[in-house]
Amino acid sequence: MNREDSPQNQESRDGGFGFTLLRKDKGSEARLGRITTPHGEVETPVFMPVGTQGTVKSLTPEQVFGLGSRIILSNTYHLYMRPGHDLIRKMGGLHRFMNWDHPILTDSGGFQIYSLGALRKITEDGASFQSHIDGSRHFISPEVCMDIQEALGSDVMMCLDECIPYPADFAYAERSLDMTLRWARRCKAARKNEHQALFGISQGGEYGELRRRGIEELVDMGFDGYALGGVSVGEPKEIMREITSEFAPMLPQEKPRYLMGVGLPEDIVESVYHGIDMFDCVMPTRNARNGMLFTSHGKVVIRNARYRGDDAPVDSACSCYTCRNYSRAYLRHLFIAGEILAIVLNTIHNISYFMNLMRQIREAIVKDTYRAFRDDFMSKLTVTDPENN
RNA sequence: GGAGGGGUUCCCGAGUGGUCAAAGGGAGCAGACUGUAAAUCUGCCGGCGAAGCCUACGGAGGUUCAAGUCCUCCCCCCUCCA
């Protein structure tokens, strides 16, 4: 890797990328770790708020950091389309551009190959997109993808992959997997800045033999971390659980393991149990904007009539800014009135909830009580909460 | 006092003989959201348990097989002229 010799290294604050496995829970596969990046350290298991367009929607970077976030996710495809990676490069990179001087992971655009299915075409060479913004045509190959992510200057780059939908038949899943593996090889060959970490992504749909072979090949190639991709694309929960429980342990012990796009609090708790270290999901931010709040007693749809005159905080067990200062009745009023502050306060709460959850998860691992923590968490899901009924 | 326009389901507002429990908004109510084309999307929105029946288009009466739609009278609102 020659990190010590790279010119970028001398400019960096803390050196290159690294992962230290600090502890493994005795009763489960759960792990406690530390990721080191040029922009700071991250304790794992970690949740990365999603900031697709170079912003965690509705929050300032100071707020995001203040809530406990130490790494965020941003997006190659979206920043390439607008404002353009060359502009961001000229502006000194994404960290400076968005005023976030902490770690950033950039997704590759692989998810847009899935989510913008109607607007793209895949060939062996890469993916051509018709811009969802102005209809113009663009082409992203593994090489272009690396160039964009290096222009953005993210701390962790993701390989370009094809995230296939669910369900997908075996033949398609296999063909796609093999292409994704060739793309991974090309990404690795094309990257110029060894200072930015590069993660490989497992695909193969729901097919165990494909997952297994894919992971073996990725590990042979050698990446700084490994992701399980192709989940949270509409598959039944059991399938996601199977993939996670069976293949997280197959990923190298000494590298971070990232479950892409996950997820619900219970999905996170369950996945940590099987040895996942990193998560990202739009859920806390998007659902906040849609009026759904995560709480220790289940979800709260703040616009519901039952909260009209409710003077209690959203979650009495939460000490976030929103819960310390505002009633459900006020939050409901703001949301129904379409006020911007509703979105801000909701997002503060949801991100706060996820950060607290991750903190509790780490504490449980430290205490070697993760299994009990997880069992307790899951049992509460099925209990009807008195406070909320 | 004269001339004209209008009163529609919670609100606004379409509808000028049957295809009308009545378009479309809004409000209200509920649901969805998992590497963000998302401050988005979906459903419900007179009553009764379904086929169906009942109650509804200012009020009363009438014409017609059939009226929110046509006629008569009445009540109320708006504009202009005195």
Side-chain angles (χ1 to χ4, degrees), chain A residues 128-181:
Chain A
S128 55
F129 287 92
Q130 187 154 16
S131 165
H132 67 280
I133 300 165
D134 63 8
S136 56
R137 292 175 195 284
H138 302 266
F139 181 72
I140 295 178
S141 64
E143 293 75 19
V144 170
C145 183
M146 288 300 102
D147 184 52
I148 297 170
Q149 293 187 75
E150 289 182 350
L152 299 176
S154 56
D155 299 275
V156 179
M157 306 186 288
M158 299 302 297
C159 285
L160 186 65
D161 64 329
E162 183 191 4
C163 179
I164 62 173
Y166 178 90
D169 64 54
F170 184 87
Y172 172 44
E174 182 174 40
R175 210 176 329 121
S176 172
L177 168 68
D178 287 330
M179 186 187 70
T180 287
L181 291 170

Side-chain angles (χ1 to χ4, degrees), chain A residues 144 171 228 302-303 324:
Chain A
V144 170
L228 294 178
I302 198 64
R303 81 176 120 75
R324 281 200 321 271

Side-chain angles (χ1 to χ4, degrees), chain A residues 94-356:
Chain A
L94 184 57
H95 293 85
R96 180 169 177 276
F97 189 53
M98 69 177 290
N99 188 34
W100 172 261
D101 194 27
H102 311 288
I104 298 174
L105 178 148
T106 40
D107 186 28
S108 60
F111 185 74
Q112 279 63 46
I113 288 178
Y114 158 76
S115 66
L116 301 178
L119 295 172
R120 58 78 176 146
K121 202 168 145 188
I122 306 167
T123 64
E124 178 64 28
D125 205 19
S128 55
F129 287 92
Q130 187 154 16
S131 165
H132 67 280
I133 300 165
D134 63 8
S136 56
R137 292 175 195 284
H138 302 266
F139 181 72
I140 295 178
S141 64
E143 293 75 19
V144 170
C145 183
M146 288 300 102
D147 184 52
I148 297 170
Q149 293 187 75
E150 289 182 350
L152 299 176
S154 56
D155 299 275
V156 179
M157 306 186 288
M158 299 302 297
C159 285
L160 186 65
D161 64 329
E162 183 191 4
C163 179
I164 62 173
Y166 178 90
D169 64 54
F170 184 87
Y172 172 44
E174 182 174 40
R175 210 176 329 121
S176 172
L177 168 68
D178 287 330
M179 186 187 70
T180 287
L181 291 170
R182 288 189 292 274
W183 283 6
R185 212 174 289 279
R186 283 166 59 187
C187 281
K188 191 167 187 219
R191 63 168 323 176
K192 297 189 194 73
N193 186 353
E194 296 281 329
H195 201 60
Q196 295 172 260
L198 178 62
F199 281 23
I201 305 174
S202 155
Q203 290 292 344
E206 60 183 301
Y207 305 105
E209 67 174 281
L210 297 182
R211 287 279 174 185
R212 188 167 296 107
R213 178 162 66 77
I215 288 169
E216 285 168 1
E217 288 194 32
L218 284 176
V219 172
D220 280 349
M221 288 179 224
F223 288 96
D224 300 304
Y226 297 87
L228 294 178
V231 296
S232 62
V233 290
E235 75 282 5
K237 186 137 295 192
E238 311 83 71
I239 292 195
M240 190 183 90
R241 293 274 155 82
E242 279 172 31
I243 293 171
T244 307
S245 61
E246 191 172 350
F247 297 106
M250 244 190 96
L251 301 174
Q253 286 280 337
E254 71 285 4
K255 302 283 179 172
R257 303 159 167 177
Y258 169 26
L259 184 62
M260 304 187 80
V262 174
L264 288 167
E266 56 265 36
D267 293 337
I268 291 174
V269 168
E270 189 64 27
S271 302
V272 165
Y273 184 87
H274 296 297
I276 297 291
D277 307 305
M278 302 170 70
F279 301 89
D280 80 278
C281 190
V282 303
M283 211 143 229
T285 44
R286 177 188 285 170
N287 288 23
R289 296 193 303 282
N290 294 335
M292 202 226 94
L293 300 166
F294 291 90
T295 76
S296 59
H297 52 269
K299 71 178 180 184
V300 166
V301 180
I302 198 64
R303 81 176 120 75
N304 284 182
R306 63 201 295 191
Y307 304 121
R308 194 192 331 261
D310 192 336
D311 197 43
V314 169
D315 186 351
S316 52
C318 177
S319 61
C320 81
Y321 172 78
T322 301
C323 288
R324 281 200 321 271
N325 295 289
Y326 304 96
S327 65
R328 294 170 176 177
Y330 181 65
L331 292 175
R332 174 176 195 269
H333 158 67
L334 288 181
F335 189 81
I336 286 178
E339 284 294 337
I340 294 172
L341 186 58
I343 285 168
V344 175
L345 294 177
N346 288 352
T347 304
I348 286 172
H349 171 79
N350 275 353
I351 292 294
S352 189
Y353 176 85
F354 272 66
M355 290 303 134
N356 284 332

